[in-house]
Amino acid sequence: MITSRRGFLRSLGAGTAAGMAVPWTLTGTLRATAPEPYPTRQDDGFIRLNGNENAYGPSAKVAEAIKSSIGSANRYPRMEYKGLTERIAGAHKVKPEQVLLGCGSTEILRVAAFAFLGSGKQLIQASPTFEGLEHYARAAGSEVIFIRLTPAFAHDLASMLARASASTTLVYICNPNNPTASLTPRKDLENFISKLPASTFVVIDEAYHHFAGQSVMYASFIDRSLDDERVIVTRTFSKVYGIAGLRLGYAVASPKVIGQMRKFATEDNINAIVTQAAAAALDDVDAVNNFIRLNTDDRQEFFNQAMARALKPIDSHANFVMMNTFHPAEELIQHFRKNDILIGRRFPPMDTYIRISLGRPEEMRAFWRTWDMLPYPKHSMQH
Ligand SMILES: Cc1ncc(COP(=O)(O)O)c(C=O)c1O
């Protein structure tokens, strides 16, 4: 048993302790376009499997853009703000007036809460789902109605619809959903939106869009728009693009709705570094595709390891996985923490489930080694 952080680092091997990425797939083939080996650990020595970030990013080209933007840090990036808005609009084939940039998509969620909610108004959202909007809805004085996910971990749209009234001015749909990494079928969402009261806006949070793939089950509401003024789609640069630390997200909606929201956005909410980094990230299509491939491999390997232990995680359409451990999640969170691994927070009411963000192969090997050290009898963690 490894008792100290240094011992644990040693147990990962010298290369890993120095933060080297392992550029080999399980089949022994070189990951041809494996990104630069940035250190996987923060200075505190923790392996971070708790933030659903891109464990490999940013790409080398984005890193270069970050470095070369340093000289512009003394200026407000107002021209660049306009340029980036146009660049994002172009990428989605919408007008620049349909795009609102935010300090992370978290700012967009805050803006949506203050633009559409307030005292006497209600937000309806799933339980569990990402909590950002819920906090701001409360701050705006709104009631929040929670509807449990279905047994298949989709949004329970029938129950959400049954609770919707004229005072429900906002519905939050996270697809793929955080923390379950599950999808709500596209057709069901279309049907749901068409039946909502005319005064109900819908935020569709597509933070994990790139990992969901295209299928009958899933299509982005930006790529296949409903042309419905009530739909606001949010995206982020914190996931596949690998720049969570630089804070950039955005909304796509009708010019009228974006205009309404813009009033609540922070002035100068975007920094001089991220405008350059984001433009480079959008241009670096190969890197995005490579990150998606790496995630597919890492996700598959997670499921292989889980199956070898007779565990059954929820089918994942994102860069994280949730699974039932049949033990209090808090005990597992603490077990991993003691072993220098941070996994996702608790997500009530799924109190025996843990959420694991996919890390690099060596980080995931550390995860499974630590899993195997759990003091529970094996059969007590299986279905
Ligand atoms: C579904 C979802 N939306 C929004 C966010 C916020 O992301 P950011 O503010 O970094 O864009 C997160 C972060 O994990 C998330 O999971």
Side-chain angles (χ1 to χ4, degrees):
M1 171 126 161
I2 300 150
T3 50
S4 70
R5 184 164 302 161
R6 193 173 304 154
F8 184 75
L9 286 169
R10 256 201 314 275
S11 78
L12 291 175
T16 311
M20 301 285 286
V22 176
W24 296 89
T25 62
L26 295 161
T27 50
T29 50
L30 186 66
R31 289 179 138 170
T33 45
E36 288 289 302
Y38 296 107
T40 58
R41 288 166 183 275
Q42 303 294 302
D43 292 343
D44 57 19
F46 283 108
I47 289 180
R48 287 168 195 264
L49 307 179
N50 61 336
N52 299 348
E53 299 137 339
N54 177 340
Y56 301 92
S59 76
K61 284 183 182 161
V62 172
E64 205 41 57
I66 292 170
K67 280 187 219 143
S68 63
S69 66
I70 301 293
S72 58
N74 57 325
R75 301 290 179 194
Y76 291 108
R78 288 175 187 156
M79 306 274 279
E80 291 81 357
Y81 183 101
K82 188 167 172 282
L84 181 60
T85 304
E86 287 167 358
R87 179 74 184 74
I88 290 172
H92 291 306
K93 303 188 177 62
V94 298
K95 298 187 205 113
E97 307 84 78
Q98 291 182 257
V99 175
L100 176 66
L101 305 183
C103 180
S105 52
T106 299
E107 186 184 14
I108 301 294
L109 298 178
R110 177 176 64 71
V111 161
F114 286 92
F116 303 112
L117 293 167
S119 168
K121 297 176 178 172
Q122 288 166 349
L123 165 71
I124 299 185
Q125 67 171 42
S127 170
T129 193
F130 184 64
E131 310 93 330
L133 185 53
E134 158 196 341
H135 295 314
Y136 295 122
R138 286 219 189 79
S142 282
E143 183 194 356
V144 183
I145 296 176
F146 298 94
I147 306 287
R148 282 289 297 258
L149 295 171
T150 68
F153 305 103
H155 287 69
D156 183 346
L157 300 172
S159 302
M160 289 175 110
L161 197 59
R163 296 294 299 274
S165 67
S167 53
T168 307
T169 49
L170 201 58
V171 171
Y172 177 64
I173 303 283
C174 186
N175 199 36
N177 188 47
N178 180 9
T180 46
S182 48
L183 290 179
T184 300
R186 164 84 192 198
K187 249 189 140 57
D188 299 353
L189 285 170
E190 284 180 20
N191 187 36
F192 168 72
I193 293 166
S194 73
K195 290 185 179 150
L196 280 174
S199 54
T200 307
F201 287 83
V202 186
V203 168
I204 303 185
D205 187 332
E206 295 186 353
Y208 301 99
H209 159 77
H210 291 87
F211 306 113
Q214 291 279 334
S215 66
V216 200
M217 279 279 279
Y218 180 81
S220 162
F221 279 82
I222 301 181
D223 302 343
R224 268 179 49 203
S225 145
L226 290 187
D227 204 15
D228 183 325
E229 287 235 316
R230 299 169 305 157
V231 176
I232 301 147
V233 184
T234 65
R235 291 278 186 94
T236 179
F237 279 81
S238 301
K239 308 302 174 185
V240 80
Y241 295 115
I243 47 174
L246 296 187
R247 315 301 302 126
L248 181 69
Y250 60 96
V252 176
S254 73
K256 186 170 148 214
V257 167
I258 290 294
Q260 249 170 294
M261 292 171 70
R262 194 179 297 285
K263 292 181 229 158
F264 295 90
T266 306
E267 282 294 320
D268 296 315
N269 57 355
I270 302 304
N271 66 73
I273 313 297
V274 82
T275 51
Q276 307 298 317
L282 289 171
D283 286 342
D284 200 355
V285 176
D286 287 348
V288 169
N289 289 335
N290 192 45
F291 286 142
I292 294 169
R293 267 196 302 275
L294 288 168
N295 187 65
T296 305
D297 283 0
D298 294 340
R299 193 166 55 191
Q300 183 57 54
E301 175 59 10
F302 187 97
F303 277 79
N304 293 347
Q305 292 295 332
M307 263 151 47
R309 291 165 178 83
L311 306 167
K312 292 199 183 91
I314 299 172
D315 196 13
S316 168
H317 300 269
N319 62 344
F320 55 92
V321 180
M322 195 177 213
M323 68 179 168
N324 196 354
T325 67
F326 301 95
H327 291 272
E330 189 57 32
E331 285 181 18
L332 283 105
I333 291 168
Q334 292 311 327
H335 168 79
F336 281 99
R337 197 186 166 85
K338 267 188 239 132
N339 288 285
D340 301 321
I341 297 178
L342 303 180
I343 61 169
R345 56 193 176 276
R346 288 179 51 243
F347 290 97
M350 294 176 74
D351 295 320
T352 59
Y353 286 75
I354 57 170
R355 191 197 70 185
I356 307 103
S357 307
L358 295 170
R360 297 181 186 196
E362 73 272 22
E363 295 177 318
M364 299 317 293
R365 282 195 288 276
F367 171 85
W368 287 113
R369 266 200 303 276
T370 307
W371 175 275
D372 292 336
M373 284 156 46
L374 279 164
Y376 309 131
K378 281 209 166 43
H379 64 82
S380 74
M381 292 185 287
Q382 296 159 353
H383 283 252

